[in-house]
Amino acid sequence: MRRYLIRRILQAAAVLWAAYTVSFLVLDLLPGDPVSAMAGAAQDQASFDPAQFARLKHEYGFDKPIPVQYADYLGRAVRGDFGDSVATGRPVTTVLTEALPPTLQLTAAALLLAVLAGGGLAVLATWTSARWLRQALLSLPPLGVSVPTFWVGLMLVELLSFRVHLFPAFGDDGPRGLVLPALTMAVMPGALIAQVLAKSLLGTLEEPYVQTARAKGAGRTRVHLRHALRNAALPALTILGVLTGMVLANSVVIETVFSRNGLGRVTAGAVGVQDIPVVQGVVMFAAVAVVTVNLAVDLLYPLLDPRIVMAGRTA
Amino acid sequence: MSQTLDGGLAAEAAAGTALPAPRRRRREETGLARFLLRRPGLVLSALTVLAVVVAAFRPETFTSADPLAGVPAHRFQAPSAAHWFGTDELGRDVFARMAHGAALSMKATLIAVAVAFVFGGLVGLVSGFVGRWVDDVLMRAVDVVLAIPALFLSLALVTALGYGTVKVAVAIGVASVASFARVMRAEVLRVRQAVYVEAARACGVRWWNVLGRHVLPNAIGPVLVLATLDFGTAILGVSALSFLGYGEPPPAPEWGTVIAGGRNYLANAWWLTALPGLVIAATVLSTNRIARALDGEWARRR
């Protein structure tokens, strides 16, 4: 167990290192560092001072050779220092930790909602014997992954806060203001959970042990919930990492739609002003979140399903 | 991010709802007619996509209104026979804006899918065909890219590249490269073990001919299905980025931009956001439905 644990953690660390390298390649190697961008914008102004920009460039380390920059940045990133925001001059770590709480509330609420609604839909669709209900329910998830997230949010605002004054529309950070953004955010992951779980449930219900349970006299509902669901839920667990990443990324769109403060708003703003250190910090935070959730799922899996032999599993 | 996930499930859904057709032998034409008659949704999807493609090339077919110049006297008119989708704050016809925006949005979508298809396909092909350490290195790289959420990767690319339809399209496309590489590699690995490939090798066929004549044509099918599925993902991604304001600058009627413009008037003019959003949703649904049909067909043929 311990060897498996160590190997998985090392693998996760390797993925994170590589993710950092990818984000470095994308953000720092492609043309245009932020200081040059500022210089370009300021060039035609009277106050333009080349010496000042050269000093700025030196301060941020943009004048050093690329491998040196990379080693510098990586060394600092390992210690949790992603440099300073180019736009505001504040440390990226501070900017992110300040923006994190409202986004974490939102994503947690959305994921919970997605699991409940998506899981409920899948269970009901596979449990019911009414053909029309099953087909109606199973046609919802493909719809859910086809509508633009930002549009769902705008329509919810239009219907539930402008037509019927149920919830505040924009910029409310209280619990009532959380409802609409969380609903919007839950649509896509909820649809995916429903698809995966329904498929896995349908497969499980064909298994011989389900027949055995029925033959022993267990009721339809009991077989469905106690016997089939417990096994069918395991494959659905594996997409949790993907969903976490998706939900975090969607916060960029949803927080913009609802004018909420948070990580997504910070990201949207940073992309707008080419604030590379902040964007890189956000990308790395998301990668850490995804890798951590994946690692947790991988480590939990053998506990939930003793049939999994750990030694045989590789990444 | 969800293409591969969707792919398998879509096939499943299609197999579950549409496939149990009687397996008696019939003539080809009646078979096709029957196939389509039993799937009115598929026909409708094909027509929707056709309409969008026509709009992309000849928007005048659908509307004679100007997408950029509005009639100020006609501002904020609700949908009517004259203005199907109503008019916006400058009196511009929203339907005309969507019809003319199809060109920009479809161009972006095509570029995104092409980038993902070509680069992902190449990586997967090399990885699967060469094998050994090349395979290891490439597939670990793919794992890494998959660990970064697609939208964040696209946003990072937009930060580095700048704004504009083409740049947004490239950013969205690059984010899908990894899933294309995976599917392509899996298919190449499957085909590479086939007896006819072994036979070709044994006959002394050069490796590039083995690759071009035997492996590639037989491995490309599922990747093409993934490409159709990726159309929907790309449309959504491109519209999200242009909604955030990273696409063409405002007067251009990109789909996401049109909706973003309507956001400010949500309280008094619902049609500015609702109807353009429905257009996007209908297009994505249609391409997904077509992808599902193709997927089902391929699954049966195998």
Side-chain angles (χ1 to χ4, degrees):
Chain A
M1 180 67 198
R2 181 177 291 170
R3 277 188 65 188
Y4 173 71
L5 194 73
I6 291 172
R7 210 182 69 214
R8 288 294 293 123
I9 290 175
L10 282 181
Q11 274 173 358
V15 168
L16 285 181
W17 163 72
Y20 184 83
T21 311
V22 168
S23 71
F24 178 85
L25 288 176
V26 166
L27 287 164
D28 296 70
L29 281 198
L30 287 175
D33 64 75
V35 177
S36 305
M38 279 197 287
Q43 212 129 40
D44 27 273
Q45 283 168 24
S47 60
F48 180 69
D49 176 11
Q52 193 187 345
F53 277 107
R55 206 173 60 241
L56 255 179
K57 260 192 142 160
H58 180 72
E59 218 167 274
Y60 282 106
F62 291 133
D63 56 344
K64 290 183 200 158
I66 297 293
V68 178
Q69 280 190 35
Y70 173 69
D72 266 13
Y73 283 140
L74 185 62
R76 276 189 279 162
V78 168
R79 282 166 293 175
D81 174 11
F82 286 92
D84 296 337
S85 159
V86 179
T88 58
R90 299 170 62 220
V92 171
T93 324
T94 319
V95 174
L96 294 192
T97 40
E98 275 177 16
L100 211 48
T103 304
L104 282 187
Q105 278 176 16
L106 179 60
T107 47
L111 273 180
L112 190 69
L113 211 63
V115 169
L116 290 180
L121 192 151
V123 168
L124 190 61
T126 47
W127 175 80
T128 181
S129 43
R131 220 177 115 81
W132 64 270
L133 182 62
R134 170 178 300 204
Q135 290 208 336
L137 285 174
L138 286 182
S139 68
L140 284 178
L143 201 66
V145 296
S146 300
V147 290
T149 313
F150 55 92
W151 182 72
V152 174
L154 290 173
M155 287 301 100
L156 284 176
V157 169
E158 154 76 15
L159 292 175
L160 296 183
S161 36
F162 289 151
R163 290 283 161 95
V164 192
H165 300 277
L166 267 181
F167 299 104
F170 300 121
D172 187 326
D173 288 342
R176 264 165 62 82
L178 195 65
V179 177
L180 291 186
L183 262 177
T184 311
M185 202 181 233
V187 170
M188 190 87 81
L192 288 172
I193 290 176
Q195 284 181 323
V196 173
L197 189 60
K199 184 187 169 196
S200 148
L201 261 173
L202 285 176
T204 312
L205 286 171
E206 305 278 303
E207 300 258 334
Y209 81 87
V210 172
Q211 243 176 7
T212 312
R214 280 215 184 115
K216 279 167 68 184
R220 191 178 150 75
T221 312
R222 187 184 161 81
V223 168
H224 208 90
L225 294 178
R226 295 291 299 270
H227 296 262
L229 183 61
R230 281 174 67 171
N231 275 306
L234 286 172
L237 207 67
T238 51
I239 63 165
L240 213 58
V242 177
L243 294 186
T244 309
M246 180 193 278
V247 165
L248 274 177
N250 261 339
S251 72
V252 179
V253 173
I254 285 161
E255 287 175 1
T256 306
V257 168
F258 289 95
S259 306
R260 281 176 64 88
N261 292 319
L263 195 68
R265 262 319 246 320
V266 167
T267 314
V271 173
V273 297
Q274 271 211 328
D275 197 339
I276 287 174
V278 173
V279 176
Q280 189 159 26
V282 171
V283 168
M284 280 318 291
F285 171 75
V288 169
V290 172
V291 167
T292 312
V293 172
N294 277 339
L295 184 65
V297 169
D298 265 18
L299 295 181
L300 272 178
Y301 217 98
L303 300 181
L304 298 175
D305 187 351
R307 288 171 302 182
I308 304 287
V309 184
M310 283 172 289
R313 295 186 76 215
T314 49
Chain B
M1 77 196 98
S2 62
Q3 300 90 336
T4 43
L5 216 61
D6 284 344
L9 296 165
E12 198 68 19
T17 56
L19 285 184
R23 278 194 186 167
R24 275 168 251 150
R25 285 188 191 170
R26 287 201 189 85
R27 281 191 213 115
E28 284 283 313
E29 319 86 79
T30 51
L32 183 67
R34 223 161 237 283
F35 179 83
L36 291 178
L37 271 178
R38 278 169 179 274
R39 296 165 181 77
L42 182 59
V43 177
L44 197 65
S45 302
L47 290 177
T48 310
V49 171
L50 186 71
V52 173
V53 171
V54 170
F57 284 101
R58 291 188 60 89
E60 309 85 42
T61 322
F62 294 98
T63 172
S64 54
D66 192 313
L68 297 180
V71 184
H74 293 172
R75 53 204 281 263
F76 292 127
Q77 285 189 355
S80 63
H83 302 288
W84 288 4
F85 286 9
T87 58
D88 66 3
E89 74 276 12
L90 298 173
R92 295 175 297 194
D93 184 86
V94 177
F95 182 72
R97 282 177 69 68
M98 288 305 280
H100 283 266
L104 274 176
S105 294
M106 283 306 107
K107 184 173 104 181
T109 308
L110 264 181
I111 295 175
V113 175
V115 165
F117 183 79
V118 170
F119 288 97
L122 270 180
V123 170
L125 196 63
V126 170
S127 190
F129 196 71
V130 178
R132 288 175 318 221
W133 65 270
V134 179
D135 186 28
D136 282 340
V137 169
L138 287 177
M139 282 304 114
R140 288 295 84 74
V142 163
D143 284 347
V144 169
V145 175
L146 286 176
I148 303 176
L151 187 59
F152 277 140
L153 191 58
S154 301
L155 283 174
L157 279 160
V158 168
T159 313
L161 293 173
Y163 298 171
T165 307
V166 177
K167 289 167 181 168
V168 160
V170 170
I172 293 288
V174 169
S176 302
V177 162
S179 35
F180 274 85
R182 274 205 169 169
V183 173
M184 187 77 202
R185 171 178 175 271
E187 285 307 306
V188 170
L189 284 182
R190 184 179 62 81
V191 173
R192 207 177 59 160
Q193 291 168 346
V195 184
Y196 57 81
V197 173
E198 205 182 317
R201 280 223 171 101
C203 292
V205 179
R206 304 280 178 189
W207 69 265
W208 57 84
N209 275 336
V210 174
L211 188 66
R213 294 231 180 124
H214 300 281
V215 175
L216 194 57
N218 288 297
I220 202 87
V223 188
L224 284 174
V225 171
L226 179 59
T228 37
L229 203 59
D230 194 51
F231 260 96
T233 317
I235 294 172
L236 287 179
V238 167
S239 69
L241 288 191
S242 64
F243 172 80
L244 288 171
Y246 305 136
E248 287 297 291
E254 222 170 314
W255 286 359
T257 323
V258 173
I259 295 184
R263 178 180 179 243
N264 300 329
Y265 308 100
L266 204 54
N268 55 353
W270 58 270
W271 56 89
L272 292 184
T273 42
L275 299 177
L278 279 181
V279 171
I280 299 181
T283 313
V284 177
L285 263 178
S286 303
T287 54
N288 283 353
R289 179 69 188 83
I290 292 171
R292 230 162 57 190
L294 288 178
D295 200 13
E297 230 103 302
W298 249 293
R300 261 192 309 175
R301 209 185 288 173
R302 240 183 253 157

